Amino acid sequence: MYLIVMNITDFKTDVKLAPYTSIGVGGPADYFYEAKTADELKDAVLTAKEKNIPYIIFGGGTNVLVSDDGFRGLVIVARNNNYEINGENIDAGAGIVLGVLLGVSVKAGLQGLEWSAGLPGSLGGAIYGNAGTFGKSIGQFIEEVTVLEPSGDIRKYTPDECGFRYRQSNFQNMPGTVIISAKLKLQQGNVERLKEEIKKNALWRAQNHPPYKSCGCVFRNATFTKEARLPQDENEPVAWFDKVPAGWLIDQAGLKGKKLGGFTVSDVHGNFLINDGTGTAEQLEQLISEIKKDIKDKFNLDLEEEVRRVG
Ligand SMILES: Cc1cc2nc3c(=O)[nH]c(=O)nc-3n(C[C@H](O)[C@H](O)[C@H](O)COP(=O)(O)OP(=O)(O)OC[C@H]3O[C@@H](n4cnc5c(N)ncnc54)[C@H](O)[C@@H]3O)c2cc1C
């Protein structure tokens, strides 16, 4: 049996969440805890369960939209950033920053994660939403995910059980489940070539993503249907397989530069909503629903949020 060594008094109280998110909005959490090890992560979750306190895990807070009222429960920030390299495998804690994981993998001469150069957030957050770019995503490199189940049991998930698909995993439909760590499978590579690739990808990101407060892409790319009314623009990819890029739709709808309160639809990338530092979650929600309505009215396509709501 696993012994819990933590108490509710180990949690901070009434902590404003905005500073723990990249978009900088969100009210307070009743309870707040930063778990530096897997044991602390487990203990915090089990303590919350024992006291019947709702809980949620944050990684880097780069894909969450916290309400202005905050979260009535415990926010646990996963900071368990241990890692171990065994041949072509890396075992890493969910709280490791993805950029750090990329750095250690390249140092060990392992290739696979170069696409993630500049992608913010933690390994756990990336697994939860199957983060990716340049046609690659984290799920392709996962051999096993160790999870704390709502029952309190620890279980290892195979990639199939994780259900990785475009910006989604089965963990999104498993409330209370906590990603503790993962085993990644990479390949031997040439360090100099890996560094070149990373430099190229980081440069692309710097040129195509606005460097301001945001949660990255707010919307998933839209699923193409034959009822869609798409504009004809020969210079742009209209549908990638069955997906239509959300940023492109927002651009075509003339929404770049649109402002609402402290938020602006980025001129650089239409799927980024930028907070000038004064924005509230309520304003962001309003802007999101206006964009969705415009895209539906103009193109008969439904946009769905990629960002996760908290509170
Ligand atoms: C500038 C910018 C650029 C971005 N570019 C990209 C991109 O190119 N591709 C892309 O896919 N995304 C991108 N994103 C979005 C974001 O960075 C990714 O989705 C990232 O993987 C989220 O990780 P995180 O640790 O910040 O998760 P968080 O925002 O902390 O959490 C996101 C969700 O995951 C859950 N979660 C986090 N950790 C755990 C855990 N250990 N166990 C259980 N649940 C957990 C949270 O509860 C929440 O529901 C970008 C964001 C920004 C700000």
Side-chain angles (χ1 to χ4, degrees), residues 61-77:
T62 62
N63 206 22
V64 285
L65 197 181
V66 181
S67 80
D68 294 323
D69 291 335
F71 183 66
R72 301 289 71 79
L74 169 67
V75 169
I76 306 167
V77 185

Side-chain angles (χ1 to χ4, degrees), residues 56-57 59-63 120-122 125-126 128 131-132 167 179 205 214 216 308:
I56 184 164
I57 312 298
T62 62
N63 206 22
S122 67
Y128 182 89
R167 298 297 171 271
I179 299 160
R205 203 171 265 280
S214 80
R308 306 297 292 186

Side-chain angles (χ1 to χ4, degrees), residues 14-240:
D14 202 26
V15 173
K16 198 162 172 9
L17 294 173
Y20 294 91
T21 71
S22 56
I23 196 153
V25 298
D30 288 345
Y31 298 100
F32 182 87
Y33 184 74
E34 294 184 72
K36 288 173 223 64
T37 63
D39 280 346
E40 286 185 359
L41 187 52
K42 281 180 238 168
D43 274 353
V45 170
L46 296 177
T47 304
K49 286 171 75 69
E50 194 187 59
K51 308 283 180 202
N52 279 321
I53 300 172
Y55 60 90
I56 184 164
I57 312 298
F58 273 25
T62 62
N63 206 22
V64 285
L65 197 181
V66 181
S67 80
D68 294 323
D69 291 335
F71 183 66
R72 301 289 71 79
L74 169 67
V75 169
I76 306 167
V77 185
R79 300 251 191 249
N80 54 322
N81 57 4
N82 56 301
Y83 66 87
E84 196 182 309
I85 301 175
N86 292 304
E88 295 183 336
N89 284 120
I90 304 185
D91 290 283
I96 195 166
V97 171
L98 216 52
V100 172
L101 188 62
L102 172 63
V104 299
S105 66
V106 170
K107 207 166 159 203
L110 294 176
Q111 94 177 32
L113 299 179
E114 305 75 67
W115 53 272
S116 71
L119 198 159
S122 67
L123 175 61
I127 291 171
Y128 182 89
N130 194 20
T133 189
F134 301 125
K136 301 232 169 92
S137 53
I138 194 76
Q140 294 169 253
F141 303 91
I142 295 294
E143 197 163 283
E144 187 178 87
V145 177
T146 301
V147 153
L148 176 64
E149 299 204 292
S151 63
D153 292 336
I154 296 284
R155 221 196 102 189
K156 292 188 187 301
Y157 279 62
T158 64
D160 270 359
E161 289 173 314
C162 295
F164 292 117
R165 50 210 184 275
Y166 170 68
R167 298 297 171 271
Q168 282 174 290
S169 77
N170 287 348
F171 300 117
Q172 293 172 327
N173 302 317
M174 296 162 64
T177 300
V178 178
I179 299 160
I180 302 283
S181 61
K183 185 194 283 288
L184 290 96
K185 174 84 171 117
L186 304 175
Q187 285 180 341
Q188 295 297 332
N190 175 297
V191 174
E192 287 318 308
R193 248 182 265 147
L194 296 180
K195 284 185 181 166
E196 275 307 306
E197 183 70 13
I198 288 168
K199 217 162 116 187
K200 195 181 79 194
N201 293 343
L203 182 67
W204 180 90
R205 203 171 265 280
Q207 287 168 343
N208 291 280
H209 286 177
Y212 307 112
K213 281 177 187 286
S214 80
C215 51
C217 290
V218 171
F219 303 103
R220 295 197 179 103
N221 292 333
T223 301
F224 181 74
T225 64
K226 54 183 186 330
E227 289 78 31
R229 297 185 298 270
L230 288 178
Q232 297 302 313
D233 182 341
E234 286 169 18
N235 297 318
E236 292 287 348
V238 172
W240 299 336

